[in-house]
Amino acid sequence: MSAHQYDHGHTVAGWVGTGIASVGAAVAGVGVCFVSGVLIAGGLAIGVVALLVTWALHLAGWGKGPAVRPRAEWGWRVRDSGARAGHDECLGCRLAGRRRAAGSSRTAEVAEGVSVGGVLGVGGEPEAVAVAADSGR
């Protein structure tokens, strides 16, 4: 059980990524102070490495998706059991090609929609209008 009152994403991926990014920011800051393009570029490169390491850890299950996790998984050392299938509305999972099955996401509910027959005067030709019902928002 975690000592945190809220699920703010205290994860291994978050801590490691933040640590590496902090080193990159420090190197870039030293580069700005010494007017060194090499140090600035090195700091930015370390920042990119931090992004890639965080993404890899997230995909390996050491991060969290955009939603709130169950309270039992709030600890930062708890591995995410749903990472293999991907997280709903998670850019990192979509970039990796991980998407949940069509029946398990909210997108399937919206995709069903309601078809409304109508005429839309675009260039004088009638077109069917489909309206998706998004009552969840």
Side-chain angles (χ1 to χ4, degrees):
M1 186 61 89
S2 176
H4 305 291
Q5 188 174 5
Y6 302 103
D7 181 29
H8 288 298
H10 301 283
T11 63
V12 173
W15 284 106
V16 170
T18 300
I20 296 171
S22 297
V23 170
V27 170
V30 169
V32 168
C33 291
F34 288 118
V35 191
S36 171
V38 174
L39 285 176
I40 293 172
L44 294 175
I46 293 171
V48 171
V49 168
L51 177 72
L52 295 175
V53 167
T54 304
W55 186 32
L57 286 171
H58 170 76
L59 293 176
W62 291 109
K64 75 178 251 353
V68 177
R69 298 175 290 183
R71 188 157 181 91
E73 296 180 10
W74 281 12
W76 72 276
R77 286 173 257 153
V78 177
R79 200 161 185 185
D80 183 12
S81 58
R84 282 283 208 209
H87 300 106
D88 291 336
E89 300 179 13
C90 177
L91 178 62
C93 290
R94 279 186 279 159
L95 289 174
R98 293 184 181 178
R99 293 196 165 104
R100 291 197 187 267
S104 67
S105 71
R106 188 175 173 280
T107 310
E109 297 170 12
V110 175
E112 289 175 7
V114 176
S115 179
V116 177
V119 177
L120 184 65
V122 177
E125 296 191 22
E127 295 181 9
V129 179
V131 178
D134 190 9
S135 61
R137 292 185 188 205

